[in-house]
Amino acid sequence: MQKIDNLIEQFLKELDYKPILNMLKNIKTGKKLRSKLLLAIALESEDAYKICAIIELIHLASLLHDDIIDESELRRGAKSLNALFGTKNALMLGDILYSKAFYELSQINTQFASIISNAVVKLAIGELMDVELAKSFNTNKQAYLTMIYNKTAVLIEASARCGAILAGYDEEDFAQYGKNLGLAFQMIDDILDLKSDEAILGKPIMSDFKEGKTTLPYIYLYESLNQEDRLYLQTLFKKELNENEKQWINLKLQEHKALEKAILEAKAYAEKASKAIKHYANAKLNDITQAMVDREF
């Protein structure tokens, strides 16, 4: 992954403006799951590394904008860029990362550029969907699935498509793999907001609900509750929860097995992903699927 970091730094050094690199030093680039996925499908090459660096630039830009929209103070256990440098700087850095990624896209094969740029359009639509859904308590599971497909799965799907093209494999097989894996990945992220330890998660437990995100466990919980409890759950939406309210949610989640149901659905999508590429017998991809789903952070 160091080669990808080096390429990202090289891309941004070309812009010849020190504040960009100074801010970049304060961004945790994460595990680069999309790059690992692409490189597990395709053989390592200069084209593969360059596409990975472009995808990681896009992913970083989307995270910066996501933190601004959510007014998040933390990202992966550290202060978010908007908390450190202010919203204006974080917004403009996100725009610079997107713009540089698109410039580099224009220098490569138009097939890859088309796949990735289309994914970025959908990603932005996904962010808009997320904002729209946050206006009220969402009970529509399909709306949630459409939103997480656009916001998260499309870039994983695009990474898998690009890897397949580089390797000479069937693009649609790997598109299905990436799409279903991306859906499972976001579902697990949403489940961990309720299930994980705050020190491991890097942000307060149940922060998604406070930010207006009615994720899959809450949708399943709502479906299982009686009318009185449904109304009470809705009163807790977008609220700073006290310990009693958190305990009530946890008890109801356990009582109605809403978390278990959400976990089973995430694993079902992961299984769909694995089945799509089963005949390729790629052990690295099986490991990535497991790592994305069986997470404790």
Side-chain angles (χ1 to χ4, degrees):
M1 296 297 103
Q2 188 59 49
K3 188 161 184 177
I4 295 166
D5 280 334
N6 292 344
L7 267 174
I8 289 171
E9 189 173 356
Q10 177 191 318
F11 287 162
L12 298 180
K13 274 183 177 176
E14 290 169 5
L15 302 177
D16 194 26
Y17 190 57
K18 284 184 180 178
I20 294 171
L21 295 175
N22 290 339
M23 285 191 282
L24 186 70
K25 288 175 186 175
N26 288 275
I27 301 174
K28 287 189 175 182
T29 55
K31 297 175 183 177
K32 297 186 178 65
L33 292 170
R34 292 150 193 82
S35 293
K36 288 177 181 174
L37 175 64
L38 190 153
L39 293 172
I41 298 167
L43 294 173
E44 293 180 25
S45 66
E46 289 306 310
D47 281 346
Y49 279 118
K50 188 168 186 179
I51 292 167
C52 286
I54 289 167
I55 287 170
E56 294 301 335
L57 273 178
I58 289 165
H59 180 56
L60 287 175
S62 73
L63 295 182
L64 292 179
H65 286 178
D66 197 38
D67 285 344
I68 292 167
I69 291 166
D70 293 340
E71 299 180 354
S72 297
E73 296 288 316
L74 294 172
R75 165 65 62 180
R76 297 181 177 127
K79 278 195 170 183
S80 62
L81 205 77
N82 47 298
L84 286 170
F85 294 94
T87 299
K88 291 178 183 178
N89 283 320
L91 176 64
M92 291 314 301
L93 182 61
D95 288 349
I96 289 164
L97 298 185
Y98 272 130
S99 301
K100 182 58 173 170
F102 275 102
Y103 171 77
E104 295 300 333
L105 266 181
S106 73
Q107 307 301 302
I108 65 174
N109 183 299
T110 55
Q111 190 176 16
F112 298 119
S114 177
I115 289 167
I116 296 169
S117 59
N118 184 52
V120 176
V121 173
K122 288 180 179 177
L123 193 159
I125 292 170
E127 283 284 7
L128 192 58
M129 287 176 173
D130 198 16
V131 170
E132 190 64 28
L133 287 177
K135 290 179 180 178
S136 60
F137 188 97
N138 174 50
T139 60
N140 185 333
K141 180 183 165 185
Q142 189 54 53
Y144 164 80
L145 289 173
T146 302
M147 183 272 291
I148 66 168
Y149 166 68
N150 283 290
K151 188 177 174 183
T152 301
V154 286
L155 201 53
I156 295 172
E157 180 183 13
S159 303
R161 276 186 184 274
C162 290
I165 293 165
L166 286 166
Y169 296 149
D170 187 300
E171 184 186 334
E172 287 306 315
D173 286 347
F174 284 87
Q176 285 302 308
Y177 171 76
K179 175 184 178 178
N180 287 301
L181 184 61
L183 290 170
F185 179 76
Q186 186 57 55
M187 286 176 186
I188 294 294
D189 248 18
D190 295 341
I191 290 161
L192 287 173
D193 179 73
L194 285 153
K195 196 173 184 290
S196 188
D197 180 82
E198 286 190 16
I200 298 169
L201 194 59
K203 62 177 183 177
I205 294 294
M206 297 185 184
S207 59
D208 282 352
F209 203 49
K210 181 190 169 186
E211 290 169 6
K213 301 179 193 296
T214 316
T215 56
L216 192 59
Y218 292 106
I219 293 171
Y220 280 145
L221 177 59
Y222 180 85
E223 289 174 353
S224 303
L225 294 173
N226 61 40
Q227 189 59 28
E228 183 182 346
D229 286 343
R230 283 182 176 185
L231 291 171
Y232 180 63
L233 180 63
Q234 288 176 302
T235 68
L236 304 180
F237 182 62
K238 298 177 82 168
K239 181 183 174 184
E240 186 75 57
L241 301 174
N242 61 40
E243 285 307 309
N244 287 337
E245 289 163 341
K246 287 181 180 179
Q247 283 179 16
W248 184 88
I249 290 173
N250 278 323
L251 283 170
K252 293 297 177 182
L253 285 167
Q254 290 172 27
E255 181 184 338
H256 296 283
K257 301 188 184 303
L259 275 174
E260 287 88 338
K261 192 173 179 182
I263 291 167
L264 284 174
E265 179 140 4
K267 288 185 174 180
Y269 276 101
E271 182 62 25
K272 279 185 190 177
S274 295
K275 281 183 179 177
I277 53 151
K278 189 175 181 180
H279 55 288
Y280 291 91
N282 188 321
K284 283 185 180 178
L285 290 181
N286 291 334
D287 290 343
I288 287 171
T289 305
Q290 285 300 115
M292 281 190 169
V293 176
D294 296 334
R295 280 181 291 151
E296 292 296 334
F297 283 43

PDB file of all heavy atoms in Angstrom, residues 245-259:
ATOM      1  N   GLU A 245     -31.990   6.055  27.825  1.00  0.00           N
ATOM      2  CA  GLU A 245     -32.518   5.915  26.461  1.00  0.00           C
ATOM      3  C   GLU A 245     -31.683   4.922  25.646  1.00  0.00           C
ATOM      4  O   GLU A 245     -32.215   4.116  24.891  1.00  0.00           O
ATOM      5  CB  GLU A 245     -32.555   7.290  25.786  1.00  0.00           C
ATOM      6  CG  GLU A 245     -33.638   8.189  26.382  1.00  0.00           C
ATOM      7  CD  GLU A 245     -33.451   9.660  26.057  1.00  0.00           C
ATOM      8  OE1 GLU A 245     -32.325  10.069  25.682  1.00  0.00           O
ATOM      9  OE2 GLU A 245     -34.434  10.416  26.179  1.00  0.00           O
ATOM     10  N   LYS A 246     -30.370   4.987  25.830  1.00  0.00           N
ATOM     11  CA  LYS A 246     -29.490   4.021  25.152  1.00  0.00           C
ATOM     12  C   LYS A 246     -29.789   2.599  25.628  1.00  0.00           C
ATOM     13  O   LYS A 246     -29.826   1.662  24.828  1.00  0.00           O
ATOM     14  CB  LYS A 246     -28.017   4.359  25.410  1.00  0.00           C
ATOM     15  CG  LYS A 246     -27.521   5.570  24.655  1.00  0.00           C
ATOM     16  CD  LYS A 246     -26.048   5.831  24.943  1.00  0.00           C
ATOM     17  CE  LYS A 246     -25.553   7.049  24.196  1.00  0.00           C
ATOM     18  NZ  LYS A 246     -24.124   7.338  24.475  1.00  0.00           N
ATOM     19  N   GLN A 247     -29.988   2.454  26.926  1.00  0.00           N
ATOM     20  CA  GLN A 247     -30.305   1.131  27.491  1.00  0.00           C
ATOM     21  C   GLN A 247     -31.626   0.606  26.935  1.00  0.00           C
ATOM     22  O   GLN A 247     -31.761  -0.581  26.645  1.00  0.00           O
ATOM     23  CB  GLN A 247     -30.352   1.207  29.016  1.00  0.00           C
ATOM     24  CG  GLN A 247     -28.972   1.256  29.657  1.00  0.00           C
ATOM     25  CD  GLN A 247     -29.049   1.350  31.179  1.00  0.00           C
ATOM     26  OE1 GLN A 247     -30.101   1.082  31.773  1.00  0.00           O
ATOM     27  NE2 GLN A 247     -27.941   1.718  31.806  1.00  0.00           N
ATOM     28  N   TRP A 248     -32.611   1.504  26.808  1.00  0.00           N
ATOM     29  CA  TRP A 248     -33.915   1.083  26.263  1.00  0.00           C
ATOM     30  C   TRP A 248     -33.741   0.552  24.836  1.00  0.00           C
ATOM     31  O   TRP A 248     -34.284  -0.505  24.501  1.00  0.00           O
ATOM     32  CB  TRP A 248     -34.892   2.266  26.282  1.00  0.00           C
ATOM     33  CG  TRP A 248     -36.276   1.888  25.816  1.00  0.00           C
ATOM     34  CD1 TRP A 248     -37.293   1.396  26.574  1.00  0.00           C
ATOM     35  CD2 TRP A 248     -36.777   1.978  24.461  1.00  0.00           C
ATOM     36  NE1 TRP A 248     -38.406   1.165  25.795  1.00  0.00           N
ATOM     37  CE2 TRP A 248     -38.119   1.508  24.497  1.00  0.00           C
ATOM     38  CE3 TRP A 248     -36.241   2.387  23.257  1.00  0.00           C
ATOM     39  CZ2 TRP A 248     -38.917   1.453  23.350  1.00  0.00           C
ATOM     40  CZ3 TRP A 248     -37.044   2.331  22.108  1.00  0.00           C
ATOM     41  CH2 TRP A 248     -38.354   1.870  22.163  1.00  0.00           C
ATOM     42  N   ILE A 249     -33.000   1.282  24.017  1.00  0.00           N
ATOM     43  CA  ILE A 249     -32.763   0.840  22.637  1.00  0.00           C
ATOM     44  C   ILE A 249     -32.046  -0.507  22.627  1.00  0.00           C
ATOM     45  O   ILE A 249     -32.440  -1.426  21.896  1.00  0.00           O
ATOM     46  CB  ILE A 249     -31.955   1.896  21.845  1.00  0.00           C
ATOM     47  CG1 ILE A 249     -32.822   3.126  21.584  1.00  0.00           C
ATOM     48  CG2 ILE A 249     -31.459   1.310  20.513  1.00  0.00           C
ATOM     49  CD1 ILE A 249     -32.070   4.294  20.946  1.00  0.00           C
ATOM     50  N   ASN A 250     -31.010  -0.639  23.444  1.00  0.00           N
ATOM     51  CA  ASN A 250     -30.258  -1.903  23.490  1.00  0.00           C
ATOM     52  C   ASN A 250     -31.130  -3.075  23.929  1.00  0.00           C
ATOM     53  O   ASN A 250     -31.047  -4.172  23.362  1.00  0.00           O
ATOM     54  CB  ASN A 250     -29.047  -1.772  24.417  1.00  0.00           C
ATOM     55  CG  ASN A 250     -27.869  -1.112  23.731  1.00  0.00           C
ATOM     56  OD1 ASN A 250     -27.628  -1.328  22.541  1.00  0.00           O
ATOM     57  ND2 ASN A 250     -27.127  -0.298  24.467  1.00  0.00           N
ATOM     58  N   LEU A 251     -31.968  -2.836  24.928  1.00  0.00           N
ATOM     59  CA  LEU A 251     -32.857  -3.899  25.409  1.00  0.00           C
ATOM     60  C   LEU A 251     -33.844  -4.322  24.326  1.00  0.00           C
ATOM     61  O   LEU A 251     -34.099  -5.515  24.133  1.00  0.00           O
ATOM     62  CB  LEU A 251     -33.612  -3.437  26.661  1.00  0.00           C
ATOM     63  CG  LEU A 251     -32.816  -3.427  27.977  1.00  0.00           C
ATOM     64  CD1 LEU A 251     -33.597  -2.724  29.075  1.00  0.00           C
ATOM     65  CD2 LEU A 251     -32.487  -4.867  28.397  1.00  0.00           C
ATOM     66  N   LYS A 252     -34.402  -3.345  23.622  1.00  0.00           N
ATOM     67  CA  LYS A 252     -35.362  -3.654  22.557  1.00  0.00           C
ATOM     68  C   LYS A 252     -34.679  -4.357  21.380  1.00  0.00           C
ATOM     69  O   LYS A 252     -35.255  -5.253  20.759  1.00  0.00           O
ATOM     70  CB  LYS A 252     -36.070  -2.380  22.088  1.00  0.00           C
ATOM     71  CG  LYS A 252     -36.994  -1.760  23.128  1.00  0.00           C
ATOM     72  CD  LYS A 252     -38.143  -2.708  23.486  1.00  0.00           C
ATOM     73  CE  LYS A 252     -39.036  -2.141  24.566  1.00  0.00           C
ATOM     74  NZ  LYS A 252     -40.127  -3.072  24.940  1.00  0.00           N
ATOM     75  N   LEU A 253     -33.458  -3.941  21.084  1.00  0.00           N
ATOM     76  CA  LEU A 253     -32.704  -4.611  20.017  1.00  0.00           C
ATOM     77  C   LEU A 253     -32.489  -6.087  20.355  1.00  0.00           C
ATOM     78  O   LEU A 253     -32.626  -6.964  19.498  1.00  0.00           O
ATOM     79  CB  LEU A 253     -31.346  -3.925  19.811  1.00  0.00           C
ATOM     80  CG  LEU A 253     -31.352  -2.572  19.089  1.00  0.00           C
ATOM     81  CD1 LEU A 253     -30.000  -1.887  19.244  1.00  0.00           C
ATOM     82  CD2 LEU A 253     -31.682  -2.742  17.610  1.00  0.00           C
ATOM     83  N   GLN A 254     -32.143  -6.346  21.628  1.00  0.00           N
ATOM     84  CA  GLN A 254     -31.923  -7.726  22.074  1.00  0.00           C
ATOM     85  C   GLN A 254     -33.239  -8.509  22.082  1.00  0.00           C
ATOM     86  O   GLN A 254     -33.299  -9.658  21.613  1.00  0.00           O
ATOM     87  CB  GLN A 254     -31.309  -7.729  23.472  1.00  0.00           C
ATOM     88  CG  GLN A 254     -29.866  -7.230  23.505  1.00  0.00           C
ATOM     89  CD  GLN A 254     -29.351  -7.050  24.915  1.00  0.00           C
ATOM     90  OE1 GLN A 254     -29.806  -7.711  25.839  1.00  0.00           O
ATOM     91  NE2 GLN A 254     -28.398  -6.142  25.092  1.00  0.00           N
ATOM     92  N   GLU A 255     -34.271  -7.878  22.617  1.00  0.00           N
ATOM     93  CA  GLU A 255     -35.579  -8.535  22.743  1.00  0.00           C
ATOM     94  C   GLU A 255     -36.117  -8.981  21.378  1.00  0.00           C
ATOM     95  O   GLU A 255     -36.659 -10.075  21.237  1.00  0.00           O
ATOM     96  CB  GLU A 255     -36.556  -7.567  23.411  1.00  0.00           C
ATOM     97  CG  GLU A 255     -37.948  -8.129  23.625  1.00  0.00           C
ATOM     98  CD  GLU A 255     -38.908  -7.090  24.196  1.00  0.00           C
ATOM     99  OE1 GLU A 255     -38.431  -6.097  24.813  1.00  0.00           O
ATOM    100  OE2 GLU A 255     -40.124  -7.251  23.998  1.00  0.00           O
ATOM    101  N   HIS A 256     -35.939  -8.131  20.380  1.00  0.00           N
ATOM    102  CA  HIS A 256     -36.507  -8.417  19.053  1.00  0.00           C
ATOM    103  C   HIS A 256     -35.474  -8.946  18.061  1.00  0.00           C
ATOM    104  O   HIS A 256     -35.793  -9.135  16.874  1.00  0.00           O
ATOM    105  CB  HIS A 256     -37.177  -7.159  18.503  1.00  0.00           C
ATOM    106  CG  HIS A 256     -38.358  -6.706  19.317  1.00  0.00           C
ATOM    107  ND1 HIS A 256     -39.580  -7.322  19.253  1.00  0.00           N
ATOM    108  CD2 HIS A 256     -38.461  -5.718  20.246  1.00  0.00           C
ATOM    109  CE1 HIS A 256     -40.422  -6.713  20.085  1.00  0.00           C
ATOM    110  NE2 HIS A 256     -39.766  -5.745  20.704  1.00  0.00           N
ATOM    111  N   LYS A 257     -34.238  -9.164  18.565  1.00  0.00           N
ATOM    112  CA  LYS A 257     -33.151  -9.735  17.741  1.00  0.00           C
ATOM    113  C   LYS A 257     -32.927  -8.957  16.439  1.00  0.00           C
ATOM    114  O   LYS A 257     -32.631  -9.528  15.383  1.00  0.00           O
ATOM    115  CB  LYS A 257     -33.428 -11.208  17.432  1.00  0.00           C
ATOM    116  CG  LYS A 257     -33.573 -12.082  18.673  1.00  0.00           C
ATOM    117  CD  LYS A 257     -33.642 -13.540  18.317  1.00  0.00           C
ATOM    118  CE  LYS A 257     -33.891 -14.413  19.548  1.00  0.00           C
ATOM    119  NZ  LYS A 257     -32.889 -14.235  20.612  1.00  0.00           N
ATOM    120  N   ALA A 258     -33.071  -7.624  16.533  1.00  0.00           N
ATOM    121  CA  ALA A 258     -32.930  -6.778  15.342  1.00  0.00           C
ATOM    122  C   ALA A 258     -31.486  -6.753  14.831  1.00  0.00           C
ATOM    123  O   ALA A 258     -31.251  -6.752  13.621  1.00  0.00           O
ATOM    124  CB  ALA A 258     -33.415  -5.361  15.646  1.00  0.00           C
ATOM    125  N   LEU A 259     -30.524  -6.736  15.768  1.00  0.00           N
ATOM    126  CA  LEU A 259     -29.113  -6.742  15.351  1.00  0.00           C
ATOM    127  C   LEU A 259     -28.756  -8.047  14.659  1.00  0.00           C
ATOM    128  O   LEU A 259     -28.089  -8.058  13.622  1.00  0.00           O
ATOM    129  CB  LEU A 259     -28.192  -6.520  16.554  1.00  0.00           C
ATOM    130  CG  LEU A 259     -27.930  -5.073  16.968  1.00  0.00           C
ATOM    131  CD1 LEU A 259     -27.115  -5.030  18.259  1.00  0.00           C
ATOM    132  CD2 LEU A 259     -27.196  -4.309  15.878  1.00  0.00           C
TER     133      LEU A 259
END
